[in-house]
Amino acid sequence: MRAAIAKAMESQNAGDYGIGAVVVKDGEILVAGTNRAKMEEDSTQHAETAVIREAFKKSGSRFLPSCVLYTTHEPCPMCAAAAVWACMDEIVFDSTLQDMIDHRKKNGNTEWTWRTIDIPATAVLAQGEPKLDQECALRDLCNGPAKSCEAFGIAEKRKTHSPIRSVRHI
């Protein structure tokens, strides 16, 4: 996660959004990268999709089994889906979607707007096929009856075949 945070700071210093991501395979960093949406004038160049694309190139495969995606922010629906399609084992993130919503409310302004899709990564992953085996360890999502994993159709420690074993908030 430290490498992802360092990349987030690098991204922010370069004038892009302060988001960083790392793909780890067998405990070693395979690739690390920054958000590049502003730098490349491409709104799909989120840090997560950028490192997944780089990991495909580096590994010579369109699948990333035994790989973990570390990211400084909870992945958006596009990035969560990319991790599923890449057959990654796990997603680990720091700031939650709720953290980002709260930040947006506190720091938004009239000159520009935040473009977001307020769907938690776990909700996206729960709709994937095959169904995902997820560890329900997210700080805000799994607390209380209205925010329980069951509300999103996620069973803890589901024992179905799945490329992503867990989603963890740290």
Side-chain angles (χ1 to χ4, degrees):
M1 185 56 78
R2 286 186 183 107
I5 292 168
K7 285 295 185 179
M9 293 170 67
E10 178 183 318
S11 182
Q12 185 173 14
N13 291 337
D16 217 311
Y17 300 106
I19 301 171
V22 176
V23 173
V24 173
K25 182 175 178 85
D26 301 325
E28 299 291 325
I29 294 175
L30 183 63
V31 294
T34 66
N35 201 81
R36 302 191 308 224
K38 289 181 182 179
M39 291 184 278
E40 294 190 13
E41 293 294 328
D42 179 349
S43 58
T44 66
Q45 282 291 340
H46 293 191
E48 299 90 343
T49 56
V51 296
I52 289 170
R53 286 180 186 123
E54 288 298 316
F56 289 149
K57 291 176 189 173
K58 190 166 185 177
S59 70
S61 174
R62 65 185 177 122
F63 299 113
L64 301 171
S66 303
C67 289
V68 177
L69 174 65
Y70 287 84
T71 180
T72 56
H73 293 70
E74 181 172 352
C76 73
M78 174 183 70
C79 295
V84 171
W85 294 323
C87 298
M88 299 183 86
D89 279 356
E90 185 175 19
I91 300 171
V92 180
F93 63 90
D94 190 12
S95 297
T96 67
L97 175 61
Q98 189 59 53
D99 293 335
M100 292 179 276
I101 291 169
D102 294 344
H103 181 80
R104 180 177 67 216
K105 287 177 184 174
K106 181 179 177 184
N107 298 294
N109 62 55
T110 57
E111 293 181 37
W112 50 272
T113 60
W114 296 67
R115 297 168 313 279
T116 62
I117 300 173
D118 294 341
I119 300 172
T122 52
V124 173
L125 299 176
Q127 297 303 312
E129 190 60 44
K131 294 297 180 203
L132 302 176
D133 182 13
Q134 300 175 44
E135 290 178 24
C136 196
L138 302 180
R139 167 181 71 191
D140 295 319
L141 181 63
C142 297
N143 296 325
K147 295 182 179 180
S148 69
C149 291
E150 289 74 27
F152 290 103
I154 303 166
E156 286 190 59
K157 304 284 186 182
R158 185 177 287 142
K159 298 297 180 194
T160 59
H161 171 71
S162 168
I164 295 182
R165 292 192 309 263
S166 65
V167 178
R168 286 190 288 145
H169 170 258
I170 59 168

